[in-house]
Amino acid sequence: MAQYTVSKETQDKIASFELADSTFRKAWDDFEQQAKQFLDYLDKLREDRNVKLDEAVRSLRTEADAQPITSVKTIKAGPFSVQKKQSMFFIPERFLAILKEKGLYDKARDEGAVVEVTEVPYSKAKQFVHDQGVEDSFAAAEDGKELTPAVSGPKPIPPFGVEGKERK
């Protein structure tokens, strides 16, 4: 596989980023050294806040779970709001059995109450066609699309005071 070389313009932009990143990191390191004691104090306060937040959220969920959904759907306390949610569904096997028993299966399918789904998992289908020796016959049924190129590397630094993922 040949190594791709990016354009001069892209090289310049990367060099510009690396300089800005280096300048920022040096200034950040200087700041951390000068404000280490206060940053340690802020970090302890942040950790304590997050522990207490987690405890409050868990307590609210436990309390909400203990209430029947028919009696309580929303709980508000301090800055928190808990929404009890419920997702209703039919048990497919039972639903289909009752439809067939009542002679309603075809009508339910025609009206969209029952949907028959056909899926073609690419890797399994590709292997099947290969195993059967009929790949040429299915070439016209195969397609693909380019995805957005994935770029890994440095990530933006959020504004100070904004909660975000810890730097590693």
Side-chain angles (χ1 to χ4, degrees), residues 56-67:
V57 167
R58 288 175 189 265
S59 183
L60 282 163
R61 281 195 180 119
T62 299
E63 194 163 328
D65 281 342
Q67 304 303 315

Side-chain angles (χ1 to χ4, degrees), residues 50-76:
N50 288 344
V51 166
K52 288 180 174 32
L53 171 64
D54 185 59
E55 290 170 349
V57 167
R58 288 175 189 265
S59 183
L60 282 163
R61 281 195 180 119
T62 299
E63 194 163 328
D65 281 342
Q67 304 303 315
I69 199 156
T70 54
S71 64
V72 176
K73 291 189 181 190
T74 302
I75 297 173
K76 291 185 181 192

Side-chain angles (χ1 to χ4, degrees), residues 73-85:
K73 291 189 181 190
T74 302
I75 297 173
K76 291 185 181 192
F80 299 97
S81 178
V82 183
Q83 286 291 122
K84 285 194 59 122
K85 297 182 178 193

Side-chain angles (χ1 to χ4, degrees), residues 6-18:
V6 297
S7 69
K8 174 79 170 104
E9 179 183 356
T10 299
Q11 289 176 10
D12 291 346
K13 290 187 185 305
I14 291 170
S16 178
F17 159 75
E18 288 175 331

Side-chain angles (χ1 to χ4, degrees), residues 74-146:
T74 302
I75 297 173
K76 291 185 181 192
F80 299 97
S81 178
V82 183
Q83 286 291 122
K84 285 194 59 122
K85 297 182 178 193
Q86 183 176 33
S87 176
M88 298 299 296
F89 57 90
F90 284 106
I91 302 165
E93 296 81 13
R94 290 183 189 168
F95 187 76
L96 293 175
I98 294 168
L99 281 175
K100 289 175 183 173
E101 176 186 306
K102 302 280 184 196
L104 295 172
Y105 180 82
D106 290 339
K107 185 173 183 177
R109 187 188 61 225
D110 293 344
E111 293 184 18
V114 172
V115 178
E116 295 175 350
V117 177
T118 302
E119 293 182 16
V120 181
Y122 180 77
S123 59
K124 288 184 179 183
K126 181 80 170 169
Q127 186 64 48
F128 174 79
V129 168
H130 173 75
D131 293 348
Q132 303 306 309
V134 291
E135 292 168 292
D136 292 345
S137 300
F138 288 86
E142 191 172 11
D143 199 1
K145 65 179 179 180
E146 277 196 36

